[in-house]
Structures are given as structure tokens and as C-alpha cells.
């Protein structure tokens, strides 16, 4: 049915309204990161504690995202959107007026709940209502809006914190949140009937144990190593969560996320490669600012400016690559993206670490991710049966969100290990840690490239229904009519 739908201005505005919810949440996250030193001083907390304003939100967002398939079946799009927007707005208001860390953390967690509902809802609406031959472009446009947030966040947060205080970060985004709520109320429509389905509480708890255990294991490893009771408990929760869910869901009639999707090799490889490449991408976001400040002794403004061109490139390439997907199918933007990602990681691995090489390496990496990420998801889900589209969206949203947290935690752990072993020379320890981070990244990228190229061999061109296929079919029809005449 999606082939017959018209890409109306109202539909575009409805997707825009949902994308703005995700935009404000991610921008707040990246804006707060540059304000952590000020927050530590004002709120009297240490670095490990203040990090939960980011890590806690990412964890909760991931736990909500895995519920999105159930939410999609059970509640209307507009109801989900309004609930996400209002919950997030309440959290922003709490943070705008609070001066106590527990209250600020509570407000941020509410924003994480809003993002956990909003992120998969955006893709659900696209796959449900956008014509197939325009799907890649709309994923790119939505990604453009969301991708601007990490580009603007650090500069936005640093300026407001220095000029007006960190509370102003929250006050400024309130009008954006209100605008998106009004726009969504007026434009979001329902095209698929809802139904009463049971919430899989056991499955949700097992998947939550997997998410929480994995992140805590990586986080504790850098401080205490693996062979201690807290790390072993976290690792046990991680393994028990994923294995327990797999065996549980196989016998469940209505599981939260069906393991049947992973029985298809193409989908499985697309998800695994997405996890790896997003994780590598976020190691860049951590390692480059760390290296610029601790190795080259640059200030935070230089670190932010080094990331800015790459972040802009990511945003614009998402739209361009989506258009290429619609015109030529998945293979062209996929291969361009992989080539740029590999070039970026190789660039950082073999060349000396300078402001210029860091900026250029990050640009190459972000351009590659912009070409590859959205198209990989669109291609994988389009090749699945329609009954799995909502669950597929949930999996990719959770993977992108969780792998971001894993990438940051993994890079931080590697760098921290070398910093601790060279405590007398912080610059040398940081340099070694970043070097080994990029060596690890290079190995991981090669593995992900092999997976992604294999996905392309398994892809059904008709599932993408790009304009090239349409042109070929039109040409065949024209020749057939001519022959009949």
C-alpha cells in the first residue's frame, strides 16, 4: 500500500515534528558534555558521578527503545508522540530550575524516556507512510535534522554556559519542544489500526539486563579490571540477559523482539555491522577532543571546531546518500560510505596526531557514516517482511543508541588504561591509548566492511524499488507496447 501513498507536505511536517524531539534530546546531551567541569563544581560531584547525566540517559533510552514495537502496535502515533514530547518537556523544565544533582539526573532520565519513544517512532512513520521510492530521501532528511544536534551541541552549550550559566541550555530548547508538540498534534496521522497486545515484561527485563550489564562491564574494566566482584556481576548480567532472552523468546508467542528476524543472514549482518561502525564512530568523538586537549594542549574551543566540519558533513551526506539510494539502490551509497569510513580510520592510524589530521580524519569518517548508516538500515528493513518492519526499526534504533555508549566507554577504558600506566606523563599515556584505539578501530572496520559487502550480495533489488528499477520497468513496458503496435 505504501507504493500508492503521496508524499504530502503534511506527512513531511509530521516527520519533522518527531525529528525535532530527537534533535533537542541529542543536542542537550552534547551541550551538557562540554559543561561537565562547571556542573562538577556547582553541584559538588566528581567526574564518575556527573557522567551519569549522559550514561544514565543512554541506558534508559535503550531500554525504552526496545519497547517501541509493542508501543507501535498498542498506541496511536499521535498518542506516542504527545507522551514522549510532554515527558521530555517536563524533564527539561525540572533541569532548568534545579540545583540539586539527583533532581537534575531525574530530569535527564525523563528526557531519555522521551527520546526512547521518539527516535523509533520517527522511522516507524517513515516506513509506514512514505512511498517506497522516496523512503531513502525521507530517512536522509530526518537524519539531517537529528545529525545537526551533535554539530551544534558543543558550541551551543559552551557559549550559553560561559555567557548565561548552564541552566540557560535547558531554557533555550523549551520553545523548540513546544513548537514540535504543536506541529505534531496538527500533522501526525494514523494509517494502521492499533491492537491490544500483551507487554512482554520478562523479555524486557532480560534485554535490559543485557544493556546495563554490558555498559557497566566496560565502565568498570578501566577502573578495576575484570577480575573483581562488581565487574563479574555486570558481565554475568550481560551474558545471562542476551542468552536468556534468546532461549525465552524462541518459545514465546508474542516476544518483544522476535529472534526470527536474526534468522535472515542479511538482516543479522546489517545489524552487526551497524553496531560495529557506530561504535567506531563514537570512539572518534571521544578520542579526538581528548587528544587535542591532553596531547596537543589545545583548549575546548579548538576541540569543538575540529569536530564541527565533520558533524556538518554527516548531516548533509545523509540527505545526499538517501537521494542516491532512491535513484540507484543501496549498493552505490553503501560502497562509497564504506570507502570513506576505511579511509578515515586508516588516516588516523598511520598519520601523526595533529589538529589538521584529526579534523580531516573526522571529516572522512563522518562523511562515510552519513553515506552508509541510514541506507544500511533502510535496505535491511526493506528486505524484511512487512510484519517485521516495526521490530526492525526498534532494533536499529536500540543498536545505534547503545553502540554509541559502548564506543565512548570502550575508548575511555583503553585510554584510561594507558594513562594509568604512564601516570607521570599524561600526554604520552593518552597518545598511546588513542593510538591503540585507532588500531582497534581499523580491525573492527575491516570486519564490518566484510559484513556489509556480504549484505549487498544478499540484497533483493526489488525490495528497495529505487528509481533505477522503476526506469527499467518503464522502459520494458514501453518496448512491449511498441512491439504490440
Amino acid at each position: 500500500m505504501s507504493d500508492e501513498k503521496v508524499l504530502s507536505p503534511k506527512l513531511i511536517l509530521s516527520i519533522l515534528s518527531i525529528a525535532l524531539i530527537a534533535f533537542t534530546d541529542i543536542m542537550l546531551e552534547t551541550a551538557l558534555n562540554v559543561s561537565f567541569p562547571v556542573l562538577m563544581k556547582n553541584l559538588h560531584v566528581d567526574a564518575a558521578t556527573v557522567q551519569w547525566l549522559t550514561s544514565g540517559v543512554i541506558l534508559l533510552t535503550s531500554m525504552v527503545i526496545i519497547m517501541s514495537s509493542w508501543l507501535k502496535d498498542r498506541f496511536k502515533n499521535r498518542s506516542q508522540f504527545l507522551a514522549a514530547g510532554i515527558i521530555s518537556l517536563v524533564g527539561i523544565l525540572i533541569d532548568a530550575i534545579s540545583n540539586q544533582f539527583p533532581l537534575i539526573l531525574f530530569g535527564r532520565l525523563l528526557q531519555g524516556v522521551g527520546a526512547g519513544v521518539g527516535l523509533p517512532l520517527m522511522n516507524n512513520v517513515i516506513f509506514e507512510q512514505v512511498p517506497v521510492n522516496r523512503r531513502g530521501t525521507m530517512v536522509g532528511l530526518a537524519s539531517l535534522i537529528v545529525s545537526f544536534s551533535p554539530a551544534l551541541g558543543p558550541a551551543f552549550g559552551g557559549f550559553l554556559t560561559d555567557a548565561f550559566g548552564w541552566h540557560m541550555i535547558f531554557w533555550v530548547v523549551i520553545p523548540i519542544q513546544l513548537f514540535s508538540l504543536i506541529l505534531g498534534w496538527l500533522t501526525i496521522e494514523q494509517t494502521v489500526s492499533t491492537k491490544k497486545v500483551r507487554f512482554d515484561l520478562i523479555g524486557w527485563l532480560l534485554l535490559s539486563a543485557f544493556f546495563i550489564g554490558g555498559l557497566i562491564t566496560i565502565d568498570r574494566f578501566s577502573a578495576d579490571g575484570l577480575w573483581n566482584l562488581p565487574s563479574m556481576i555486570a558481565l554475568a548480567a550481560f551474558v545471562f540477559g542476551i542468552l536468556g532472552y534468546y532461549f525465552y523468546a524462541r518459545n514465546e508467542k508474542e516476544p518483544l523482539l522476535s529472534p526470527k528476524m536474526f534468522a535472515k543472514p542479511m538482516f543479522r549482518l546489517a545489524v552487526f555491522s551497524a553496531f560495529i561502525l557506530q561504535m567506531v564512530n563514537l570512539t572518534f568523538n571521544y578520542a579526538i577532543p581528548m587528544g587535542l586537549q591532553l596531547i596537543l594542549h589545545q583548549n575546548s574551543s579548538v576541540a569543538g571546531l575540529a569536530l564541527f566540519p565533520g558533524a556538518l558533513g554527516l548531516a548533509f551526506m545523509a540527505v545526499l546518500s538517501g537521494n542516491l539510494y532512491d535513484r540507484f539502490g543501496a549498493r552505490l551509497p553503501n560502497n562509497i560510505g564504506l570507502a570513506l569510513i576505511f579511509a578515515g580510520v586508516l588516516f588516523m592510524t598511520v598519520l601523526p596526531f595533529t589538529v589538521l589530521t584529526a579534523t580531516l580524519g573526522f571529516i572522512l569518517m563522518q562523511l562515510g557514516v552519513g553515506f552508509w548508516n541510514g541506507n544500511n538500515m533502510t535496505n535491511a528493513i526493506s528486505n524484511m517482511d512487512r510484519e517485521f518492519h516495526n521490530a526492525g526499526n526498534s532494533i536499529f534504533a536500540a543498536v545505534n543508541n547503545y553502540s554509541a555508549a559502548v564506543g565512548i566507554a570502550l575508548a575511555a577504558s583503553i585510554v584510561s588504561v594507558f594513562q594509568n600506566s604512564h601516570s607521570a606523563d599524561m600526554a604520552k599515556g593518552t597518545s598511546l591509548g588513542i593510538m591503540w584505539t585507532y588500531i582497534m578501530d581499523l580491525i573492527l572496520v575491516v570486519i564490518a566492511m566484510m559484513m556489509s559487502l556480504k549484505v549487498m550480495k544478499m540484497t533483493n533489488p526489488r525490495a528497495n524499488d529505487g528509481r533505477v528499477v522503476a526506469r527499467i520497468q518503464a522502459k520494458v513496458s514501453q518496448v512491449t507496447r511498441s512491439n504490440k503496435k
Side-chain angles (χ1 to χ4, degrees):
M1 291 178 61
S2 61
D3 292 340
E4 302 174 358
K5 296 173 183 173
V6 176
L7 186 56
S8 65
K10 188 175 183 180
L11 176 56
I12 295 174
L13 290 174
S14 69
I15 295 170
L16 169 65
S17 66
I18 305 172
L20 285 174
I21 295 287
F23 172 86
T24 56
D25 177 77
I26 296 174
M27 188 167 69
L28 283 174
E29 181 180 313
T30 55
L32 277 182
N33 286 344
V34 300
S35 304
F36 276 173
V38 176
L39 289 169
M40 291 165 59
K41 182 178 179 180
N42 292 349
L43 302 177
H44 308 291
V45 295
D46 57 19
T49 302
V50 79
Q51 281 287 347
W52 279 102
L53 294 177
T54 296
S55 299
V57 173
I58 290 176
L59 276 176
L60 190 58
T61 300
S62 299
M63 292 164 64
V64 175
I65 283 174
I66 58 179
M67 299 168 55
S68 63
S69 182
W70 173 77
L71 291 172
K72 184 72 177 65
D73 289 335
R74 184 66 180 84
F75 300 102
K76 293 182 178 180
N77 293 336
R78 185 181 295 175
S79 299
Q80 291 183 69
F81 170 78
L82 291 176
I86 292 171
I87 291 172
S88 183
L89 181 60
V90 171
I92 293 171
L93 287 169
I94 290 173
D95 288 342
I97 61 176
S98 299
N99 287 295
Q100 300 296 321
F101 181 81
L103 276 177
I104 295 169
L105 178 60
F106 176 68
R108 289 288 295 135
L109 293 176
L110 290 179
Q111 294 157 45
V113 172
V117 176
L119 283 169
L121 177 62
M122 178 179 69
N123 286 326
N124 282 336
V125 170
I126 291 174
F127 278 89
E128 178 184 285
Q129 301 182 28
V130 173
V132 178
N133 68 315
R134 301 297 296 167
R135 191 175 286 169
T137 299
M138 283 310 304
V139 170
L141 285 171
S143 299
L144 171 65
I145 297 167
V146 176
S147 297
F148 263 121
S149 50
L152 297 176
F156 165 81
F159 169 75
L160 290 178
T161 300
D162 291 340
F164 305 104
W166 61 269
H167 284 98
M168 187 57 66
I169 296 174
F170 296 98
W171 285 112
V172 167
V173 301
I174 289 176
I176 302 175
Q177 198 83 354
L178 289 172
F179 172 75
S180 66
L181 279 170
I182 296 171
L183 184 63
W185 169 260
L186 296 174
T187 59
I188 294 176
E189 295 180 340
Q190 188 73 22
T191 59
V192 178
S193 300
T194 59
K195 56 185 178 181
K196 289 187 177 181
V197 291
R198 181 182 64 88
F199 178 62
D200 183 12
L201 179 61
I202 295 177
W204 182 76
L205 291 173
L206 288 170
L207 287 174
S208 297
F210 165 70
F211 284 129
I212 295 171
L215 194 59
I216 292 179
T217 298
I218 295 173
D219 182 63
R220 297 291 300 179
F221 177 77
S222 61
D224 305 313
L226 186 61
W227 305 110
N228 59 83
L229 184 59
S231 296
M232 294 303 295
I233 292 174
L235 181 61
F238 171 78
V239 175
F240 174 76
I242 191 60
L243 292 180
Y245 182 80
Y246 175 75
F247 290 108
Y248 162 79
R250 285 200 311 175
N251 301 315
E252 184 69 11
K253 291 183 178 180
E254 295 181 344
L256 202 60
L257 296 174
S258 174
K260 293 179 181 179
M261 293 180 291
F262 287 92
K264 190 167 185 177
M266 189 219 67
F267 182 82
R268 183 170 65 243
L269 291 172
V271 170
F272 290 161
S273 58
F275 183 90
I276 292 173
L277 290 183
Q278 177 71 345
M279 183 175 68
V280 169
N281 183 35
L282 267 293
T283 64
F284 271 61
N285 282 268
Y286 175 87
I288 288 176
M290 181 72 70
L292 290 175
Q293 294 178 73
L294 295 184
I295 300 174
L296 304 180
H297 307 292
Q298 302 291 329
N299 58 36
S300 57
S301 297
V302 173
L305 289 173
L307 299 180
F308 186 71
L312 284 180
L314 169 65
F316 285 112
M317 285 306 103
V319 177
L320 174 60
S321 64
N323 185 263
L324 289 175
Y325 177 93
D326 287 335
R327 295 181 62 191
F328 304 110
R331 190 179 301 273
L332 179 62
N334 180 84
N335 292 345
I336 293 174
L338 290 176
L340 288 170
I341 290 170
F342 180 77
V345 177
L346 185 64
F347 198 84
M348 296 301 297
T349 305
V350 302
L351 294 180
F353 189 89
T354 66
V355 176
L356 179 61
T357 57
T359 303
L360 293 177
F362 191 68
I363 289 174
L364 288 172
M365 181 69 184
Q366 296 303 96
L367 291 176
V369 171
F371 264 101
W372 183 86
N373 193 45
N375 289 317
N376 175 64
M377 179 194 72
T378 306
N379 177 63
I381 296 175
S382 295
N383 276 270
M384 298 294 290
D385 293 336
R386 187 173 294 277
E387 63 179 296
F388 294 125
H389 280 191
N390 292 339
N393 284 324
S394 302
I395 288 173
F396 271 99
V399 162
N400 284 330
N401 190 70
Y402 185 64
S403 59
V406 171
I408 292 173
L410 185 59
S413 296
I414 294 173
V415 172
S416 180
V417 166
F418 282 94
Q419 286 177 337
N420 292 336
S421 63
H422 295 80
S423 56
D425 190 346
M426 181 63 69
K428 182 178 180 180
T430 304
S431 179
L432 288 171
I434 290 176
M435 180 189 71
W436 280 103
T437 297
Y438 287 131
I439 292 173
M440 174 200 70
D441 286 344
L442 188 61
I443 296 171
L444 291 174
V445 164
V446 170
I447 295 171
M449 287 177 65
M450 294 171 63
M451 291 181 180
S452 187
L453 292 173
K454 194 170 183 179
V455 168
M456 288 300 100
K457 293 182 180 180
M458 301 175 179
T459 294
N460 175 16
R462 291 184 178 272
N464 300 315
D465 197 22
R467 294 181 183 176
V468 167
V469 177
R471 288 171 183 165
I472 294 173
Q473 291 172 342
K475 188 68 175 177
V476 170
S477 299
Q478 182 181 359
V479 171
T480 303
R481 287 195 299 268
S482 299
N483 290 337
K484 287 181 179 179
K485 292 179 180 179

